[in-house]
Amino acid sequence: MVPHPDGSTPTLVPALTEVGPEDVPALAAGAAIFGTGGGGAVHNASRIVERTLRDFGPVQLIGVEELSEDDAVIMMSGVGAPTVGIEMLSSTAQPETLLREAQRTLGRKITAIMPAEIGGSNGVSPLGWAARLGVKVLDADGMGRAFPEATMISPNVAGVRCEFSVQADVVGNVEVRRPIDLKWLERHARAGVVASGGIVMAAHYPLSADTAPGAVIPRTISRAVSVGQALLTASSPVSAVADVLGADTLITGKIVDVARRTEGGFVRGSLTIAGTGSDRGRLQRIELQNENLVALEDGEVLASVPDLISILDAETGHAISTEMIRFGQRVAVIAWACDPLWRTDRGLELAGPRAFGYDLPYVPFERKSTR
Amino acid sequence: MTHERELSIGVDVGGTNTDAVVLDQDGTVLAATKQPTTADVVGGIRAGVARVLDEIDDRRHAVKRVMLGTTHATNAIVARRSLARVAVVRLGAPSGTEWPPLSDWPDDLSHHVLAGSAMLGGGHMLDGTPIMPLDRYGLLRFLDSIEGRFDAVAVTGVFSPSYPDQEREVDAIIRDHIGPDARIFLSQDIGPTGLIERENATVLNAALHRVAHDVTHALLAVVEEQGLDAVTFFAQNDGTLMSLDFAENFPVLTIGSGPANSIRGAAYLSGAQDAIVVDVGGTTSDLGVVVNGFPRESTLPREIGGVQTNFRMPDILSVGIGGGTIVDVASGRVGPGSVGYRIDREGLLFGGSIPTLTDAAALNSSPIPGRSLPTVDGRTRDALAASLAFVADRLEAAVEQLSLGRMDLPLVVVGGGGFLVPDELSIATEVIRPAHAGVANAVGAAISLAGGRAEHIADIEDREAAIEAASEAAIAKAIQAGADPLKVEVVEVLETPISYTTHPAVNVSVKAAGPLSRLGTTMPALP
């Protein structure tokens, strides 16, 4: 594992070798936390995946370091509007169509798929697709969290070109794209999503044993499961989750203000949290655009993208998405360091505070508490 | 002209008690009673109605309406009792094939309910484009394959709340095929977008049609036995009423009516249009919010009998504090255990040995007339005293959570354990303990309006037209549910923006409600 710039390493979690139906609740709870407020609702996805793994058996996980010359990997995700996703659900044919088309375009067999993002429903669904397809899952993802745009993905940071992308809709239409870069892919893919009724399933970024190392965020499925297990089994879930993540609790308190609006297909706004207990008297603000982007207190940035900020239910430890935040909720705000890849110049250019329109310098978040 | 005022009877059939009240036209409570609920339902209703009619004696002929609120449907699901066998049809394949109907139902419940299911071509995309042509032949083949093995059909089409025609066409095809008396339930009539939850609710609704028939006929039987010339209504989840034949078709809409009636009744008895209501029972305290006289609805999916549904339910916060909550003297812990209905044997106040919150309340003044706390040791006394402070804290936190930080709302206290609520809470302007608080549920049923809800999706430029279309549909549903066409109005408009469409789109959801129409009279009687 790559050490952090400050020399520390995130808590090592055991690498899983497979994911079975009994792991899905933990994976879903963990993926919701990595969603940092966005990433879509994990509830439907986890119900479907749990059932699929029960019907088709557990999915084999392989680490990036275990990839051989014979392996070819592709990222898979759902793309589109969550409002549509709860009504026009996926078909069993979509993952099969994608895999077949991707293999044809690549000219070789695809042996594993991986989530494009571990945050939210897209961190959970690929396990079900893999079970159905009979392929392995790479224990890694393309974000280490959830981000709203196609450009904000790790191989793009690492300078690996996206050779092609395949999109399949629920009716059976398939589109193959060979974009010159991710900005163009975003533009064309969006047009395709609209034509397909608001939601599609996509496969992109074919990777190999040569290109994957350093271009993906490693071991994130195992990590999400560990975080979820801590949440579901510990007697004080918030501190257990923080320990597994290497996170600090920024504030414990209650939501006293929610300002949200929808703009260009994104939810933008801010939340204010008033401290309770030993945090009484403190006020913290979270800026958001689908995901939680910046945590501020007394004009000072405590944490910002690409580092991760998640709002948890103070009692249960479950992540609360930006849509579900309500006045009066008792919450704990936690923050932790992103993968070092995001802290490179290219990473910050694509997903630092300025990429989201904040005129703020990026200050790397470091864990202060030691346990 | 007699100038006799019209009277209403409200009945609430709970798991334990059946409450009944008589209200006059001003809403004054003229009579109230609590009777044990009977296994056949009708016995409890009969006893309750007979008792309040006795109390008003010579004015029984003035009873013009009988309103029933009940958890009977909920209990039938929980007990897997009297459920019909349902053929489940979903239109929209290949969409949703990843998730066949009833996939997440508890096995024993789906075993009771499911006669067979089919995922057929059909359904619509967000913009109205058909996903696939309707598979008429597949539909007929499916019905033939399960011939004679189902009592009802539940039909759910993708985006049918916005594009209802196809479900209606399927309804016609089925009637044509198996006869005009077929029991067919369409998802567009049951719930908003969210396919799995709407389908689940539609199937539950179909499964409950006999239960609904039984309870509506129980009410009619009692009304007839008593010789009342009254119109009958059912209370539904959102605090509005529906006519009896509507209730018979939509029993699933009664499932959340208990808390809704309690909240509406409490608000009404206290005169508060905006308030927090706490119903303190033996095991839990259930808190809700009244906004403009209606219960605030939950935004989260609700589970019933292990099944996820998305029909609108009151936003209820349950806290593990009730009159029977056990105070553990050794650890100082309060709850979550409760002696429940055994409090009249096990509580200290009743000669038992288990300290409860009722005993804690008795430190100040006895909440139970004629009973006083026996001598207890110092540790027990300290633990009981500390538990009262804990209760005040928990209730205050719960009120704060529900009130969204607003400090200007009163707190209305109902239920048998109401004495646990302190007279002063820093988060509420005042604590109100209305008269007849024990039968707030039945009062809530008696004062409800008739209502309806409808949804429409449109481009954002057409949002006003969409609101108008949804309003018309909601008003039509409210009238169908019994509202006075001259007085029904739109009471709520919810807009949800939708991304990834050609033009920015919006989903509008409109609720309409109005006072019940006065059948057989053209003018309200003057005092």
Side-chain angles (χ1 to χ4, degrees):
Chain A
M1 188 168 286
V2 190
H4 270 223
D6 66 3
S8 72
T9 49
T11 315
L12 276 172
V13 298
L16 300 175
T17 55
E18 62 171 41
V19 174
E22 66 285 356
D23 300 314
V24 175
L27 173 64
I33 292 176
F34 281 102
T36 62
V42 296
H43 182 73
N44 268 355
S46 70
R47 286 199 283 176
I48 291 171
V49 171
E50 200 174 329
R51 182 193 143 96
T52 310
L53 294 189
R54 200 160 281 138
D55 292 350
F56 289 81
V59 168
Q60 195 192 337
L61 281 190
I62 57 164
V64 179
E65 65 288 350
E66 294 174 75
L67 288 173
S68 76
E69 276 180 17
D70 299 328
D71 284 313
V73 186
I74 199 156
M75 292 185 180
M76 273 201 197
S77 59
V79 180
T83 328
V84 176
I86 61 165
E87 183 72 20
M88 193 169 71
L89 308 173
S90 316
S91 91
T92 49
Q94 279 174 286
E96 287 158 27
T97 305
L98 280 179
L99 191 76
R100 192 171 56 239
E101 195 61 45
Q103 288 183 158
R104 184 180 299 155
T105 310
L106 188 63
R108 58 184 291 203
K109 191 173 160 56
I110 286 168
T111 57
I113 64 170
M114 63 178 283
E117 57 183 345
I118 191 65
S121 59
N122 270 333
V124 182
S125 297
L127 279 298
W129 302 331
R132 207 173 265 288
L133 295 168
V135 298
K136 299 175 283 192
V137 171
L138 187 67
D139 190 1
D141 77 303
M143 294 179 186
R145 48 172 296 154
F147 273 133
E149 287 174 46
T151 55
M152 301 168 171
I153 195 151
S154 57
N156 191 29
V157 181
V160 175
R161 221 175 75 77
C162 179
E163 289 173 50
F164 65 87
S165 133
V166 190
Q167 214 165 279
D169 69 16
V170 76
V171 179
N173 296 299
V174 184
E175 297 171 66
V176 182
R177 301 194 170 82
R178 296 183 180 276
I180 61 163
D181 65 24
L182 272 279
K183 275 200 164 141
W184 282 100
L185 176 62
E186 171 95 30
R187 181 184 162 96
H188 283 267
R190 271 181 180 266
V193 169
V194 170
S196 288
I199 202 154
V200 297
M201 204 181 284
H204 71 319
Y205 259 121
L207 295 165
S208 66
D210 290 338
T211 54
V216 297
I217 315 293
R219 215 186 264 195
T220 45
I221 294 174
S222 293
R223 202 160 172 230
V225 172
S226 295
V227 169
Q229 277 167 350
L231 190 163
L232 298 175
T233 57
S235 54
S236 21
V238 172
S239 60
V241 163
D243 271 349
V244 180
L245 286 169
D248 272 337
T249 301
L250 299 183
I251 194 168
T252 303
K254 61 184 177 185
I255 305 286
V256 293
D257 189 41
V258 181
R260 264 182 311 221
R261 61 193 184 281
T262 306
E263 220 172 70
F266 295 117
V267 180
R268 289 174 181 272
S270 65
L271 313 169
T272 310
I273 297 139
T276 52
S278 57
D279 288 333
R280 199 174 292 277
R282 292 174 55 198
L283 270 184
Q284 214 167 86
R285 196 171 91 229
I286 310 287
E287 291 288 324
L288 54 93
Q289 175 190 316
N290 287 18
E291 285 82 29
N292 308 312
L293 299 180
V294 186
L296 297 144
E297 186 169 339
D298 297 330
E300 189 199 341
V301 176
L302 300 181
S304 78
V305 271
D307 291 325
L308 298 89
I309 303 161
S310 212
I311 300 177
L312 311 183
D313 181 293
E315 245 170 70
T316 66
H318 279 280
I320 307 176
S321 69
T322 48
E323 291 112 2
M324 288 298 166
I325 291 279
R326 300 279 181 273
F327 284 97
Q329 276 169 338
R330 310 251 157 188
V331 299
V333 180
I334 61 168
W336 67 104
C338 63
D339 187 272
L341 192 65
W342 289 113
R343 293 184 168 187
T344 60
D345 290 346
R346 170 87 173 147
L348 292 173
E349 181 196 326
L350 288 170
R354 288 188 214 284
F356 288 92
Y358 294 99
D359 190 20
L360 296 168
Y362 170 66
V363 183
F365 179 82
E366 285 173 47
R367 190 185 199 193
K368 292 174 188 69
S369 61
T370 48
R371 288 174 221 226
Chain B
M1 220 138 144
T2 62
H3 300 299
E4 176 61 271
R5 293 181 174 195
E6 293 184 2
L7 304 182
S8 300
I9 292 181
V11 182
D12 181 85
V13 183
T16 313
N17 288 312
T18 298
D19 301 345
V21 296
V22 180
L23 263 62
D24 71 10
Q25 209 169 354
D26 294 336
T28 307
V29 178
L30 301 180
T33 185
K34 264 185 186 300
Q35 301 289 332
T37 296
T38 54
D40 66 349
V41 190
V42 71
I45 299 175
R46 182 184 289 133
V49 170
R51 180 66 194 268
V52 289
L53 284 176
D54 276 354
E55 280 186 42
I56 59 165
D57 192 31
D58 57 327
R59 299 179 67 187
R60 55 187 298 140
H61 64 276
V63 172
K64 293 296 177 212
R65 296 188 198 89
V66 180
M67 287 86 155
L68 185 82
T70 179
T71 52
H72 202 54
T74 316
N75 298 342
I77 295 168
V78 173
R80 323 284 195 235
R81 200 177 56 219
S82 313
L83 299 174
R85 298 200 40 90
V86 183
V88 182
V89 173
R90 189 197 287 169
L91 314 168
S95 166
T97 43
E98 233 185 0
W99 187 253
L102 276 57
S103 291
D104 61 341
W105 284 42
D107 286 344
D108 63 329
L109 183 59
S110 63
H111 174 77
H112 268 85
V113 169
L114 185 63
S117 70
M119 294 186 278
L120 302 172
H124 294 92
M125 292 191 177
L126 177 64
D127 62 359
T129 307
I131 294 174
M132 282 282 156
L134 179 60
D135 182 2
R136 294 177 179 79
Y137 175 68
L139 173 64
L140 299 180
R141 208 173 38 183
F142 166 64
L143 292 171
D144 290 343
S145 74
I146 55 164
E147 198 186 342
R149 287 188 278 136
F150 63 93
D151 311 307
V153 189
V155 185
T156 306
V158 174
F159 278 117
S160 68
S162 303
Y163 307 103
D165 289 357
Q166 196 179 60
E167 281 189 359
R168 290 187 194 143
E169 187 184 342
V170 165
D171 181 286
I173 294 171
I174 299 174
R175 280 181 207 288
D176 194 43
H177 191 64
I178 61 175
D181 298 335
R183 302 292 298 168
I184 304 167
F185 298 89
L186 305 182
S187 81
Q188 61 187 265
D189 301 323
I190 304 288
T193 48
L195 184 99
I196 294 174
E197 289 81 5
R198 186 173 74 254
E199 179 178 76
N200 284 346
T202 309
V203 178
L204 277 182
N205 192 70
L208 287 167
H209 82 262
R210 281 205 295 255
V211 175
H213 178 88
D214 291 348
V215 74
T216 52
H217 284 254
L219 181 62
L220 282 175
V222 169
V223 167
E224 196 173 318
E225 279 165 24
Q226 295 291 342
L228 299 176
D229 178 24
V231 191
T232 45
F233 296 96
F234 254 65
Q236 56 182 336
N237 299 334
D238 61 359
T240 59
L241 291 170
M242 49 191 173
S243 61
L244 221 58
D245 55 345
F246 196 81
E248 199 169 322
N249 285 319
F250 302 106
V252 83
L253 298 179
T254 66
I255 277 174
S257 67
N261 287 339
S262 159
I263 293 168
R264 292 253 310 151
Y268 179 79
L269 290 169
S270 64
Q273 278 288 296
D274 294 276
I276 308 291
V277 172
V278 58
D279 188 344
V280 188
T283 308
T284 62
S285 294
D286 298 331
L287 292 98
V289 187
V290 183
V291 183
N292 291 324
F294 283 90
R296 188 172 78 204
E297 292 176 346
S298 169
T299 51
L300 300 173
R302 291 285 156 159
E303 202 174 89
I304 180 76
V307 178
Q308 289 278 344
T309 59
N310 65 348
F311 42 74
R312 299 199 156 247
M313 301 274 254
D315 188 6
I316 299 293
L317 178 67
S318 277
V319 183
I321 288 174
T325 300
I326 296 167
V327 179
D328 183 20
V329 173
S331 66
R333 275 176 66 123
V334 180
S338 168
V339 295
Y341 65 88
R342 302 186 310 274
I343 190 163
D344 60 356
R345 300 196 296 276
E346 298 186 356
L348 301 182
L349 210 52
F350 300 92
S353 59
I354 302 176
T356 66
L357 287 177
T358 299
D359 302 317
L363 288 178
N364 299 330
S365 64
S366 181
I368 312 290
R371 298 234 169 230
S372 58
L373 201 61
T375 314
V376 293
D377 61 49
R379 278 184 63 203
T380 305
R381 178 166 277 274
D382 290 350
L384 288 176
S387 74
L388 285 177
F390 172 84
V391 166
D393 265 5
R394 277 308 297 274
L395 289 177
E396 191 146 303
V399 170
E400 193 175 4
Q401 189 173 340
L402 274 176
S403 67
L404 311 182
R406 283 177 66 179
M407 309 281 280
D408 55 347
L409 295 171
L411 177 69
V412 182
V413 182
V414 296
F419 52 78
L420 288 174
V421 181
D423 283 329
E424 281 183 29
L425 282 176
S426 67
I427 189 68
T429 49
E430 57 178 327
V431 174
I432 306 173
R433 301 173 198 274
H436 306 293
V439 290
N441 282 342
V443 172
I447 57 153
S448 290
L449 303 176
R453 181 182 285 282
E455 274 198 31
H456 202 84
I457 293 177
D459 283 358
I460 204 134
E461 299 99 80
D462 302 331
R463 66 176 272 282
E464 286 186 22
I467 292 173
E468 201 165 309
S471 299
E472 273 177 32
I475 285 171
K477 284 188 182 179
I479 293 169
Q480 196 189 345
D484 183 341
L486 298 175
K487 293 184 182 159
V488 64
E489 57 183 348
V490 168
V491 294
E492 185 183 81
V493 178
L494 293 172
E495 292 182 67
T496 319
I498 297 168
S499 49
Y500 287 102
T501 47
T502 335
H503 304 291
V506 64
N507 182 33
V508 298
S509 172
V510 175
K511 174 167 144 186
L516 292 163
S517 51
R518 288 152 188 274
L519 301 178
T521 54
T522 49
M523 293 283 288
L526 294 170

